[in-house]
Amino acid sequence: MGVLGISYQTLESTIAGTGNGDGFLYDNFPMVMKNQGLISKLTYSVYLNDSDSSTANVLFGAIDHEKYTGDLALMPIVNSMASYGFKEPAAIDVTLSSIKMGSQSQKSEVKFADGAAAALLDTGTTLTYVPDDVLQAIASIGGFSYSSTAKTYMVDCSLGDDFYLTFNFLGFEVAVPFSAFFLPVSGGSTTSQCGLGIYSSGDQSVTLGDNFLTSVYA
């Protein structure tokens, strides 16, 4: 199985044929398209549609303004791998300022993660991963219980239409319905329970995968 890497050139390298670890960078797919004149801008736009759709698309070199409502927000890219010696950004990390959990029926919100963290926008990751204390806060606020069988927190599926998470990126907010993070549970004792598709990252990193990206046009 291959992976089509379309992030920064910093991650496109090889040590093949050298034997001493000295690799070289090479042009990835968007760069080759621009070099061949197929696109004029070194950019691409991702539209994942909603989770139950069978289609999605990636558009190279342009933005499809029919695929979103409101205004696009321009965000600086964070060099989250500077400590590893990277002088330029190697992945599409943006600054996540805070996360709030809200209820439409109760008309209330609770902020449980506040500060500044590098959040990786990654179409190659299906779920969302947050620091363990953030995951514990979500579980505590919602009163969710952990299932060792399902290996995730269990949530009443009816909460998906009421609860939502609001992600704040330097003042730009994205509200994601809680149902976007639900996982189907097979073999359970009741069909009213859903699994939570948010897991601990095991460190302080944040990865916003497909179940987040279905709610944005990136």
Side-chain angles (χ1 to χ4, degrees), residues 110-131:
V110 177
K111 182 186 293 185
F112 57 87
D114 195 11
L120 174 66
L121 305 179
D122 188 13
T123 56
T125 299
T126 304
L127 306 178
T128 289
Y129 295 83
V130 296

Side-chain angles (χ1 to χ4, degrees), residues 166-194:
T166 299
F167 297 80
N168 185 303
F169 302 92
L170 297 175
F172 180 76
E173 292 191 337
V174 176
V176 182
F178 214 53
S179 57
F181 300 105
F182 285 179
L183 297 171
V185 178
S186 59
S189 58
T190 173
T191 57
S192 66
Q193 292 290 299
C194 291

Side-chain angles (χ1 to χ4, degrees), residues 39-82:
I39 58 177
S40 60
K41 297 180 180 179
L42 194 57
T43 184
Y44 59 91
S45 308
V46 176
Y47 174 69
L48 290 189
N49 215 330
D50 45 51
S51 57
D52 58 357
S53 175
S54 61
T55 62
N57 67 57
V58 54
L59 175 65
F60 292 96
I63 295 171
D64 186 347
H65 297 287
E66 297 296 323
K67 290 291 191 291
Y68 67 91
T69 58
D71 298 320
L72 293 178
L74 188 64
M75 300 179 193
I77 301 299
V78 179
N79 185 4
S80 63
M81 299 176 69

Side-chain angles (χ1 to χ4, degrees), residues 93-94 96-101 112-114 116-122 125-141 144 146 152-153 165-169 176 178 181 196-213:
D93 288 282
V94 296
L96 177 61
S97 305
S98 66
I99 308 176
K100 293 183 292 187
M101 190 171 188
F112 57 87
D114 195 11
L120 174 66
L121 305 179
D122 188 13
T125 299
T126 304
L127 306 178
T128 289
Y129 295 83
V130 296
D132 189 64
D133 59 337
V134 174
L135 177 60
Q136 296 299 327
I138 295 174
S140 176
I141 295 170
F144 309 139
Y146 186 80
T152 186
Y153 285 93
L165 291 178
T166 299
F167 297 80
N168 185 303
F169 302 92
V176 182
F178 214 53
F181 300 105
L196 181 61
I198 303 177
Y199 284 80
S200 171
S201 61
D203 51 32
Q204 292 302 303
S205 66
V206 176
T207 299
L208 301 177
D210 295 339
N211 56 4
F212 167 85
L213 291 171

